[in-house]
Amino acid sequence: MQASGTRFFTPCDALKEYVRYYYVLTADGPCRQLTFPIGCPQIIFHRKSPLFIPELGTRQSRFTISGQVNFPAHVENTDDLEMIVALFYPHTIGIFTDTPPSEFYNMEISWNDIGNRHLNDLAVRISDSPDASTAVGLLEQWLIAKIRKPQNLGRIGYAVRQLLHNPSVSVGNLAGDVSLSRKQFERLFREYVGMNPKEYARIARFQQTLRMMQLGSRDYVGIACAAGYADQSHFIREFRQFSGLTPRRLIEQQTPYSDLYTSPLSFP
């Protein structure tokens, strides 16, 4: 989610392999934005008014896990907004939640639903912190204390990197690369990432097309070919499924931006 009132923070060295970055999003008064599947789960803390998601008919809690999703959604705010967000790599949030990311599939989950008293305490401290930088520091301290490396984290991380490089790679090849049977690999991928590898590959391919458009390409035949779609019609169908719009319509409404393939800490 990109907005003019956004500040980005680099994770400390101990967390760099788990957290892509933190950001603080602020807005004065009402705001509304269309968001897409980005391929990375998030932990969100609201220091002011939480966001409402019409497609889910729910308002985020003061502290929320936003899991992997496969649909576009609007986010709305009716009052001042200040959110502290940790954006994780596709396969790493489960290290910190003690709950498999598959439990958060297509959902916004309140930390209250997990029943973790320590998280309630953290939310209170973040809400009471004097500024956003202090809030990010408190979140980092909590994350560092939770670090553990599950047995198959390296395997799934390698597979995720291969898939992001080439979303058309076969599931069988990915499984073979990490010395797992296809059935074992699909189970572990879903456990760590929150959705099956074929579905995740579709989101990665969609995000690749957003990146090409973000960099200025309007050659939709070329985009379809470069991203591995069967043809331009296939590309447009998939794009509409994940964004709710055709590529041309999206450009008319907002600037294309790929959260998955852009690092805001090192533009462009």
Side-chain angles (χ1 to χ4, degrees):
M1 183 177 177
Q2 270 290 81
S4 57
T6 309
R7 296 169 57 201
F8 297 96
F9 297 81
T10 303
C12 66
D13 289 344
L15 291 167
K16 280 184 177 178
E17 63 180 296
Y18 311 111
V19 180
R20 287 184 60 198
Y21 54 85
Y22 309 98
Y23 67 91
V24 178
L25 179 66
T26 58
D28 296 328
C31 61
R32 176 183 171 92
Q33 185 168 334
L34 177 63
T35 64
F36 315 127
I38 67 172
C40 294
Q42 304 171 80
I43 291 177
I44 301 167
F45 290 86
H46 288 283
R47 281 158 53 86
K48 294 184 179 179
S49 175
L51 292 169
F52 179 69
I53 303 162
E55 286 80 2
L56 295 177
T58 185
R59 186 174 293 277
Q60 291 180 340
S61 71
R62 185 172 56 168
F63 41 108
T64 295
I65 301 174
S66 182
Q68 298 281 8
V69 300
N70 64 3
F71 59 90
H74 291 86
V75 290
E76 300 177 351
N77 195 60
T78 56
D79 207 339
D80 292 351
L81 174 73
E82 183 181 21
M83 40 189 299
I84 314 292
V85 182
L87 188 79
F88 293 83
Y89 287 99
H91 61 296
T92 57
I93 194 171
I95 295 170
F96 306 98
T97 61
D98 300 323
T99 304
S102 55
E103 297 284 327
F104 315 135
Y105 177 63
N106 279 346
M107 297 180 71
E108 301 271 335
I109 299 292
S110 167
W111 285 110
N112 288 319
D113 295 333
I114 298 175
N116 189 317
R117 178 180 57 81
H118 299 293
L119 287 169
N120 283 310
D121 294 342
L122 175 63
V124 170
R125 287 189 290 138
I126 285 177
S127 295
D128 292 343
S129 59
D131 53 54
S133 297
T134 303
V136 171
L138 291 169
L139 177 54
E140 277 222 312
Q141 291 173 19
W142 183 84
L143 291 171
I144 289 170
K146 293 284 291 182
I147 290 177
R148 59 179 179 81
K149 282 197 173 183
Q151 180 179 359
N152 291 293
L153 184 69
R155 281 175 161 173
I156 300 304
Y158 176 84
V160 166
R161 290 189 293 274
Q162 294 299 106
L163 192 153
L164 292 177
H165 177 71
N166 176 21
S168 298
V169 64
S170 74
V171 176
N173 284 347
L174 288 173
D177 286 346
V178 295
S179 303
L180 292 169
S181 71
R182 178 171 178 141
K183 186 175 181 180
Q184 286 176 312
F185 172 71
E186 288 180 328
R187 177 181 60 79
L188 285 171
F189 191 96
R190 179 170 178 78
E191 178 182 327
Y192 280 77
V193 177
M195 59 173 51
N196 68 55
K198 282 189 174 181
E199 184 175 29
Y200 191 81
R202 292 175 62 214
I203 289 171
R205 190 160 48 224
F206 162 70
Q207 283 283 332
Q208 279 190 343
T209 67
L210 281 176
R211 178 61 174 167
M212 291 181 230
M213 293 166 62
Q214 177 184 338
L215 294 176
S217 177
R218 300 297 182 262
D219 174 9
Y220 300 122
V221 173
I223 290 174
C225 181
Y229 291 100
D231 52 37
Q232 184 179 353
S233 295
H234 182 207
F235 159 51
I236 292 174
R237 285 197 307 272
E238 290 268 299
F239 195 94
R240 185 185 286 116
Q241 177 178 345
F242 290 128
S243 72
L245 302 166
T246 65
R248 285 190 176 88
R249 186 65 174 156
L250 173 68
I251 290 167
E252 291 172 1
Q253 293 194 11
Q254 63 189 65
T255 303
Y257 180 83
S258 169
D259 290 276
L260 187 58
Y261 288 98
T262 303
S263 172
L265 302 173
S266 57
F267 281 122

